[in-house]
């Protein structure tokens, strides 16, 4: 199956060039937690693509005079060269070289910036890796002009996955599924696909406010966390539960069932963290303020009948999800009652978005 992503002949023809993509972050509703080699998910996941949280990456490339040794690239973040990002990108390049044979033929400058503050604790690997993948696909497209639009995006997602699993859901909008599922046509472990089944209008413009609870470096990386699912006592049960939750969310989307959406999304978030807490060694990524916010959300919902709910990623930050028609009231509540639990009172308003955009031709 992976074979189809190996180009037949792809000698780089262009001497030099430059390409820019803006790629979104995403927030999983049914979580990916646990993987097999090479970057294959243990269960299906589904996410909202975001709109305001994104990465913009310009890839400048020029033919190398003599191609000796390993890849030749440099990484610039917010105008400053970053040596410490290089190992992660080097691993990414190693994984994708079979599919991107021109990788060693060029010198690359990867110039990148995020719309959200650096060290905000918002994962930049999803949007960051999908941006590089799309830039590389733009180079491939120049060589292979017969590549269809569908094949272009599918391979971009395939490559992004090899950089960071959740990055394969950061190519298209507005809802993306990754991981084979018997009831989702076209779903694959190799790449994310746009969710094509019925989605009620309420979910088309869902809001997501990200509360920045803790901006520090995480104590346990996602990659280490995923690995701890090997031999985890509850792993098999969890993977089955996720498959079942995909069935449930299909019905929820089709039937506009916001109450069931809340129940499912919050349960997924807490299950993810329960997996962390029951790993060996165990760990906790939530902070006291994460729990404060969760309790405030529950109290607010009880008092007002609001449809506000929360989800979590692999960290202390809280994503608050709510329908567009509650935007004004919920954002008042966040500003007045929840901002105090955030570092420097900072939060980011976002909403469901449409996927990556090329900014230069
Ligand atoms: C909790 O995609 O960051 O956000 O594949 O090792 O790069 P790697 O992990 P990553 O894991 C994300 C996990 C999650 C849930 C999710 O996004 O589905």
């Amino acid at each position: 199956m992976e074979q189809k992503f190996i180009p037949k002949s792809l000698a780089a023809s262009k001497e030099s060039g430059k390409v820019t993509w803006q790629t979104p972050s995403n927030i999983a509703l049914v979580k990916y937690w646990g993987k097999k080699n090479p970057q294959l998910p243990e269960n299906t996941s589904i996410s909202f693509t975001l709109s305001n949280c994104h990465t913009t990456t310009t890839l400048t490339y020029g033919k190398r005079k003599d191609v000796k040794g390993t890849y030749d690239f440099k990484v610039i973040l917010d105008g400053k060269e970053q040596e410490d990002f290089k190992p992660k990108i080097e691993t990414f390049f190693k994984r994708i070289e079979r599919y991107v044979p021109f990788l060693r033929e060029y010198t690359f400058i990867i110039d990148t910036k995020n719309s959200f503050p650096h060290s905000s604790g918002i994962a930049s690997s999803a949007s960051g890796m999908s941006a590089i993948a799309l830039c590389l696909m733009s180079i491939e497209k120049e060589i292979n002009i017969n590549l269809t639009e569908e094949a272009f995006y599918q391979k971009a997602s395939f490559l992004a996955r090899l950089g960071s699993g959740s990055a394969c859901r950061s190519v298209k909008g507005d809802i993306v599924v990754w991981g084979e599922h018997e009831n989702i046509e076209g779903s694959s472990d190799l790449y994310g696909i746009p969710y094509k089944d019925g989605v009620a209008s309420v979910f088309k413009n869902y809001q997501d406010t990200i509360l920045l609870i803790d901006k520090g470096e995480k104590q346990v990386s996602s990659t280490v966390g995923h690995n701890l699912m090997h031999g985890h006592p509850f792993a098999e049960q969890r993977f089955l539960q996720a498959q079942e939750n995909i069935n449930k969310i299909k019905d929820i989307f089709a039937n506009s069932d916001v109450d069931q959406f809340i129940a499912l999304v919050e349960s997924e978030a807490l299950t993810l963290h329960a997996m962390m807490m029951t790993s060996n060694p165990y760990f906790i990524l939530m902070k006291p303020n994460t729990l404060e916010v969760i309790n405030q959300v529950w109290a607010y919902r009880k008092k007002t009948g609001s449809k506000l709910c929360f989800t979590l990623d692999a960290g202390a930050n809280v994503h608050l999800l709510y329908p567009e028609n509650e935007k004004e009231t919920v954002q008042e509540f966040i500003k007045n009652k929840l901002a105090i639990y955030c570092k420097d009172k900072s939060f980011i308003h976002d909403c469901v978005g449409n996927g990556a955009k090329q900014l230069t031709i």
Side-chain angles (χ1 to χ4, degrees):
M1 199 24 191
E2 288 93 337
Q3 300 299 326
K4 77 170 181 188
F5 295 111
I6 302 176
K8 294 206 174 48
S9 104
L10 211 57
S13 53
K14 227 177 156 196
E15 271 309 302
S16 62
K18 197 179 192 173
V19 58
T20 302
W21 277 88
Q22 186 186 88
T23 52
S25 189
N26 73 76
I27 180 68
L29 305 168
V30 174
K31 309 288 181 181
Y32 147 58
W33 198 245
K35 64 177 164 183
K36 302 175 274 239
N37 233 344
Q39 295 282 99
L40 297 170
E42 292 277 13
N43 63 261
T44 311
S45 58
I46 190 164
S47 52
F48 279 148
T49 302
L50 297 181
S51 177
N52 302 331
C53 288
H54 51 71
T55 295
T56 304
T57 297
T58 298
L59 186 69
T60 308
Y61 54 99
K63 274 267 176 79
R64 286 165 81 173
K65 298 278 170 301
D66 58 317
V67 182
K68 275 205 297 270
T70 184
Y71 321 105
D72 185 9
F73 69 99
K74 101 175 153 197
V75 187
I76 297 171
L77 175 69
D78 297 329
K80 276 198 223 93
E81 195 168 344
Q82 292 280 337
E83 280 295 322
D84 35 330
F85 284 9
K86 287 190 83 170
K88 190 150 192 198
I89 293 179
E90 189 134 344
T91 306
F92 176 42
F93 279 1
K94 271 191 205 133
R95 286 187 191 146
I96 64 173
E97 185 162 16
R98 269 186 88 201
Y99 312 101
V100 189
F102 56 79
L103 220 45
R104 278 174 208 259
E105 290 180 41
Y106 289 117
T107 295
F108 293 107
I109 300 171
I110 303 164
D111 191 342
T112 191
K113 57 181 191 293
N114 297 321
S115 65
F116 42 90
H118 182 53
S119 80
S120 60
I122 298 184
S124 57
S125 67
S127 51
M129 289 297 177
S130 67
I132 301 175
L134 280 156
C135 289
L136 291 171
M137 284 311 296
S138 289
I139 302 176
E140 175 165 338
K141 174 82 185 151
E142 278 172 4
I143 306 165
N144 176 6
I145 47 168
N146 295 325
L147 199 68
T148 64
E149 193 176 312
E150 198 191 338
F152 176 95
Y153 284 109
Q154 194 174 87
K155 184 165 172 184
S157 175
F158 171 85
L159 296 178
R161 181 198 102 237
L162 292 166
S164 178
S166 55
C168 77
R169 300 189 314 243
S170 271
V171 171
K172 284 287 186 174
D174 43 3
I175 297 173
V176 177
V177 178
W178 170 39
E180 204 177 318
H181 192 282
E182 56 180 357
N183 295 325
I184 299 198
E185 208 189 314
S187 57
S188 169
D189 285 352
L190 300 179
Y191 45 80
I193 59 162
Y195 181 72
K196 292 270 170 50
D197 296 343
V199 177
S201 58
V202 64
F203 296 113
K204 289 279 187 186
N205 52 3
Y206 232 66
Q207 306 293 304
D208 178 4
T209 299
I210 306 156
L211 304 184
L212 306 176
I213 305 287
D214 186 54
K215 300 186 184 178
E217 186 71 14
K218 280 186 287 194
Q219 290 120 326
V220 180
S221 74
S222 289
T223 304
V224 171
H226 284 290
N227 279 333
L228 293 174
M229 289 301 278
H230 295 295
H232 189 295
F234 309 133
E236 282 317 309
Q237 213 40 52
R238 159 60 197 155
F239 302 144
L240 288 174
Q241 179 196 45
Q243 297 313 99
E244 192 43 43
N245 279 348
I246 295 284
N247 286 327
K248 288 189 183 158
I249 208 164
K250 265 185 76 158
D251 290 343
I252 288 169
F253 282 148
N255 302 330
S256 196
D257 195 341
V258 178
D259 290 326
Q260 285 307 313
F261 177 82
I262 295 171
L264 183 137
V265 163
E266 292 189 346
S267 161
E268 272 289 320
L270 294 180
T271 301
L272 167 71
H273 284 257
M275 290 298 118
M276 298 173 188
M277 289 192 255
T278 47
S279 292
N280 181 13
Y282 46 80
F283 60 104
I284 301 181
L285 295 183
M286 290 185 285
K287 297 281 181 199
N289 281 352
T290 310
L291 296 179
E292 289 287 354
V293 167
I294 291 174
N295 281 307
Q296 292 281 345
V297 167
W298 286 340
Y300 178 77
R301 212 159 61 214
K302 197 159 178 205
K303 192 169 126 201
T304 64
S306 161
K307 304 297 182 192
L308 173 66
C309 72
F310 71 86
T311 188
L312 307 166
D313 55 17
N317 294 336
V318 182
H319 286 248
L320 294 175
L321 302 177
Y322 48 100
E324 219 249 351
N325 66 3
E326 287 193 38
K327 193 168 165 178
E328 229 171 279
T329 44
V330 167
Q331 293 192 353
E332 265 310 282
F333 169 64
I334 292 170
K335 193 172 84 192
N336 297 334
K337 294 276 159 41
L338 301 183
I340 49 163
Y341 300 111
C342 304
K343 276 265 152 14
D344 307 323
K345 298 207 165 102
S346 52
F347 51 84
I348 300 171
H349 292 311
D350 209 335
C351 59
V352 171
N354 296 321
K357 285 199 283 267
Q358 185 170 3
L359 300 186
T360 55
I361 310 290

